[in-house]
Amino acid sequence: MSSVDMRGRGDLLEGELAALEDGLMALPPYLEPLDIVSLDGFLCGVLLSPHPVIPAQWLPAVFDWNFGESGVEVFDDGHPDWGRSRAPILAALVLRRYAAIDVALSGEGWFSPIVAVPVDARGVPVSRGKPAIQEALGSWVLGFEHAQDLFPGLGDLRAPGLPDLMACLLRHLPEQTEEELACTKALDQEHPLATLDEAIEDLVETVVAIAQLSWATRKNF
């Protein structure tokens, strides 16, 4: 599996993105970090909260999916290969990506997600059909959903159209509730996505629309 990196201005360079991906996968065994694709969805999920979430609140969850439930501090200075050395470097890269998405969404009304392109047995990228789309985008949406679980501001909104927009994202989840499956079936009939390019464009348009709804409410809080 290879990552598609469609970066915007001021974003991570290719080598920095690779360093972040490798660094996340090499964390101490007591942590359960996000992968590079779910991280991208998570950052978007944080940014779309109607209640601004500061990095000190969400950054630990990047390095531990369970958010410290193991009882071990995420930033453990006592770990010689993590707390005092790699943690600041990886955190800086994550914050760079976070800022780049923020600038792209708020300034350009668009952003370029990081997704995983599945390949067949010969190593050829597969970009057509629902299984390929779900494999490519499922992890991204899982990260987005995880942000909503930790910071559930979007769920409190009563904005018209928001449930339909959320359904457009959740259709890519690998595991769905009965209600989500019903919504996905309806979307597949009314708005089918044949290729990965179409699905990425739809995902971006959906995130931008959610951002507009969510951010419009911030002044009311």
Side-chain angles (χ1 to χ4, degrees):
M1 181 181 296
S2 60
S3 292
V4 173
D5 174 28
M6 299 173 289
R7 300 178 302 277
R9 184 183 304 173
D11 208 340
L12 298 179
L13 300 176
E14 184 175 350
E16 293 171 319
L17 186 70
L20 175 57
E21 183 173 20
D22 292 343
L24 289 172
M25 296 301 99
L27 293 189
Y30 58 79
L31 298 177
E32 188 177 349
L34 306 182
D35 61 49
I36 196 70
V37 177
S38 59
L39 168 63
D40 217 54
F42 178 81
L43 296 178
C44 277
V46 170
L47 281 165
L48 265 55
S49 173
H51 312 280
V53 185
I54 62 174
Q57 293 174 290
W58 58 259
L59 194 55
V62 169
F63 303 110
D64 188 9
W65 178 278
N66 297 314
F67 210 43
E69 289 180 5
S70 63
V72 179
E73 290 292 332
V74 173
F75 298 107
D76 182 4
D77 286 340
H79 196 289
D81 297 325
W82 163 239
R84 297 177 181 175
S85 55
R86 285 186 290 164
I89 296 172
L90 294 181
L93 293 174
V94 171
L95 289 170
R96 282 262 309 281
R97 177 60 182 166
Y98 172 84
I101 297 173
D102 190 15
V103 168
L105 280 175
S106 58
E108 303 171 13
W110 198 258
F111 78 106
S112 299
I114 297 171
V115 302
V117 179
V119 297
D120 63 18
R122 299 169 297 168
V124 178
V126 180
S127 59
R128 298 189 65 87
K130 184 174 179 177
I133 291 172
Q134 193 170 65
E135 182 175 348
L137 301 185
S139 184
W140 195 100
V141 178
L142 278 172
F144 183 93
E145 185 184 47
H146 190 47
Q148 306 315 308
D149 291 339
L150 295 176
F151 310 105
L154 276 178
D156 297 333
L157 295 183
R158 296 295 180 265
L162 182 58
D164 290 339
L165 290 169
M166 293 297 291
C168 288
L169 294 181
L170 299 181
R171 72 189 295 186
H172 302 301
L173 284 175
E175 297 182 7
Q176 302 180 27
T177 65
E178 290 186 8
E179 182 179 356
E180 290 167 349
L181 285 170
C183 290
T184 296
K185 182 177 180 180
L187 281 169
D188 288 345
Q189 294 174 344
E190 299 168 7
H191 182 47
L193 299 170
T195 69
L196 180 55
D197 284 345
E198 291 177 7
I200 291 174
E201 183 176 359
D202 182 75
L203 181 145
V204 172
E205 290 176 347
T206 300
V207 169
V208 170
I210 294 174
Q212 292 170 346
L213 288 176
S214 178
W215 293 347
T217 69
R218 286 186 175 180
K219 61 180 180 292
N220 298 322
F221 290 102

